[in-house]
Amino acid sequence: MKKLICLLSILLGCVSVFAQYNEQDIRDYIAQYAEVAMQKMEEYKIPASITIAQGIFESACGKSHLAVDGNNHFGIKCHTEWTGDTILIDDDELQECFRKYPSVSDSYTDHSLFLTTRKRYSNLFELDIMDYKAWARTLKQDGYATNPQYADRLISLIERFNIARLDTLWKNKEHPDFNTVTTTQPVAQTTKPTTPPSPTTNSTDKIVFTAIGSDYPTDASPFTYRKVFKNNNTYFVIAEKGDTYEKIAQDILVMSDNLRKFNDAGPNDEPVENEIVYVEAKARGNAARIHTVQSGETLRYISQRYGVQLRYILKYNMLEENSIIHPGDQILLRR
C-alpha cells in the first residue's frame, strides 16, 4: 500500500512537530479515538469526523511533540483564560505557550469546550451536523488555523479514510442494528470460500458477482447501519433488493460516482440483489495469484470476485477493457 507521508512541520498554522506518519497510523488513530469523538458528538454536537480529522492533522496521529509530551491533540494554545499546565513549543513564534492535559481524553473534552464556548465559533452550530465540508470551511473561515489549505486538508482526510462513517453511525444510533456495530479494530479476514456464489445477471445481461453474508467475515468498522464485510482487505456491503449506487452512496457518505469507480460500474449499471458493492478502492492484487476463467465470466466479474482493481488486472495480463476472455484462460491477479 502506498504510504501517505505527512510532514506537518512545513504547513502554515500547524505546530512544528517534526513528526511523520503514514496511512496505517491514520487508520490506527481513527480506531483508537473514534469512540471518544462520537461521545463528544453526542455531548457537544460537533461532527466526530471533524474532531478526528483535526486530531490527525494537528497531532500527526498523536506523534507530535505537543501530543506526546502535552497530550494536546488539537494545537490549542494557552490564551489568557487557561489556568492549567502548559508546554512551550516553537510554532508561528519561538516557544509559544500551549495547553497541557493530564490525558488525551481531556484534550478532546477541551477541544469541544473551546469550540462551544468561544463566540467566534458560534456559527458552526448553525450548520447541519452531517455537513462536514461546511464545518471544515467554517472552521478555517473563523480562524482556527492560518494554513490556507486547512479546510481542504480536513475534507481530504475525511473522504480518503471514510471518517464520516462515524457521523452516520451517530445519526443512525436509533436504528435496530446500531448496537451490533462497534468502533473497534477490524477483525482479521478468514479464508475466502473455495466455492463462490453463482453469477447473477443484471438488467443489461452482464454477469455480476453476488454473495451471501456467511461467505465473508463481517467487519467492526461502522461505515453505516448496513452490515459491512471484507474481501481481500477491502470493505464492501451487499446490495439489497431495489438498491442503487446512489442510495448506497448516501448511506455510507461517499459520492455515487466514486462508488461506481470502486466497482468498475458503468453510468447506467445498478447493483442487483446480493451483489457485492465495494465501498472503497479495491486492492492491487490478490494472494490467489491466478484465476482460471469459467464460462460466462468477464474481467469485471473476476475483479469483483477477488477484490482487485480492474485496471491492474488489465495491466498484469496486457489486456484492454474490451478484451474477450475464454473459458480456461489464466488471469494473473497480481504481478
Side-chain angles (χ1 to χ4, degrees):
M1 180 181 291
K2 184 178 180 181
K3 297 217 172 168
L4 175 67
I5 303 298
C6 302
L7 293 169
L8 294 192
S9 57
I10 64 173
L11 297 175
L12 295 173
C14 294
V15 180
S16 298
V17 292
F18 299 101
Q20 295 181 350
Y21 59 93
N22 59 36
E23 192 169 280
Q24 187 57 50
D25 292 328
I26 293 175
R27 296 189 187 281
D28 291 344
Y29 187 95
I30 295 169
Q32 184 172 0
Y33 295 109
E35 184 175 354
V36 66
M38 290 175 62
Q39 288 173 350
K40 301 312 170 189
M41 186 173 185
E42 178 66 27
E43 295 172 20
Y44 297 97
K45 301 302 180 283
I46 299 168
S49 59
I50 288 292
T51 300
I52 288 288
Q54 284 193 281
I56 292 168
F57 189 72
E58 297 283 354
S59 76
C61 289
K63 294 176 177 290
S64 72
H65 175 28
L66 182 59
V68 172
D69 293 338
N71 285 321
N72 187 332
H73 280 224
F74 299 95
I76 300 179
K77 297 181 180 180
C78 294
H79 300 284
T80 56
E81 73 274 14
W82 181 248
T83 59
D85 290 339
T86 62
I87 183 172
L88 300 178
I89 301 285
D90 293 344
D91 188 31
D92 295 329
E93 299 178 7
L94 296 177
Q95 296 294 280
E96 289 197 79
C97 183
F98 286 85
R99 301 182 183 190
K100 183 177 181 180
Y101 305 101
S103 69
V104 176
S105 179
D106 292 315
S107 175
Y108 270 75
T109 298
D110 192 48
H111 169 261
S112 298
L113 292 171
F114 188 78
L115 294 183
T116 54
T117 60
R118 298 176 80 85
K119 186 176 181 180
R120 68 189 297 180
Y121 300 116
S122 60
N123 56 348
L124 284 170
F125 299 91
E126 298 174 4
L127 302 173
D128 182 349
I129 196 171
M130 301 300 290
D131 190 349
Y132 60 85
K133 290 183 179 180
W135 274 77
R137 290 166 181 152
T138 303
L139 270 172
K140 172 61 183 75
Q141 174 187 306
D142 291 347
Y144 192 95
T146 57
N147 181 356
Q149 295 183 328
Y150 191 75
D152 292 336
R153 299 276 182 170
L154 296 185
I155 292 169
S156 177
L157 274 171
I158 291 169
E159 293 183 344
R160 179 169 183 176
F161 293 93
N162 234 333
I163 306 174
R165 66 187 186 271
L166 302 179
D167 302 337
T168 303
L169 183 60
W170 174 86
K171 181 179 179 182
N172 294 318
K173 60 185 180 296
E174 300 302 326
H175 190 278
D177 286 341
F178 174 77
N179 291 324
T180 67
V181 185
T182 69
T183 56
T184 58
Q185 289 276 14
V187 296
Q189 185 175 4
T190 59
T191 304
K192 189 184 182 300
T194 56
T195 304
S198 301
T200 303
T201 58
N202 62 13
S203 58
T204 58
D205 294 328
K206 294 180 181 178
I207 295 176
V208 298
F209 186 63
T210 59
I212 56 176
S214 59
D215 290 327
Y216 295 91
T218 57
D219 196 274
S221 293
F223 282 106
T224 170
Y225 63 81
R226 291 174 182 256
K227 289 184 178 179
V228 180
F229 305 86
K230 286 188 84 173
N231 178 31
N232 198 28
N233 290 318
T234 305
Y235 294 118
F236 71 88
V237 297
I238 296 177
E240 300 171 356
K241 186 175 182 179
D243 263 344
T244 63
Y245 283 114
E246 181 68 31
K247 184 176 186 297
I248 296 172
Q250 289 175 353
D251 285 348
I252 62 173
L253 292 183
V254 300
M255 296 178 63
S256 59
D257 287 347
N258 286 344
L259 202 61
R260 290 179 182 276
K261 183 177 179 180
F262 297 155
N263 293 275
D264 300 293
N268 298 318
D269 291 337
E270 296 296 352
V272 300
E273 187 176 7
N274 295 326
E275 182 177 353
I276 278 184
V277 177
Y278 291 100
V279 297
E280 62 179 346
K282 289 175 284 189
R284 297 183 179 183
N286 188 290
R289 190 177 178 82
I290 295 175
H291 171 74
T292 302
V293 177
Q294 303 298 312
S295 178
E297 291 181 346
T298 64
L299 289 166
R300 178 178 181 263
Y301 174 88
I302 296 169
S303 169
Q304 293 292 93
R305 172 178 172 179
Y306 289 97
V308 179
Q309 293 181 40
L310 178 58
R311 65 192 182 102
Y312 285 100
I313 291 179
L314 299 178
K315 180 178 179 180
Y316 301 153
N317 295 275
M318 294 182 290
L319 297 170
E320 301 294 334
E321 194 164 351
N322 59 355
S323 294
I324 298 174
I325 56 177
H326 304 89
D329 286 350
Q330 300 286 298
I331 300 296
L332 293 178
L333 301 173
R334 61 175 178 171
R335 189 182 298 276

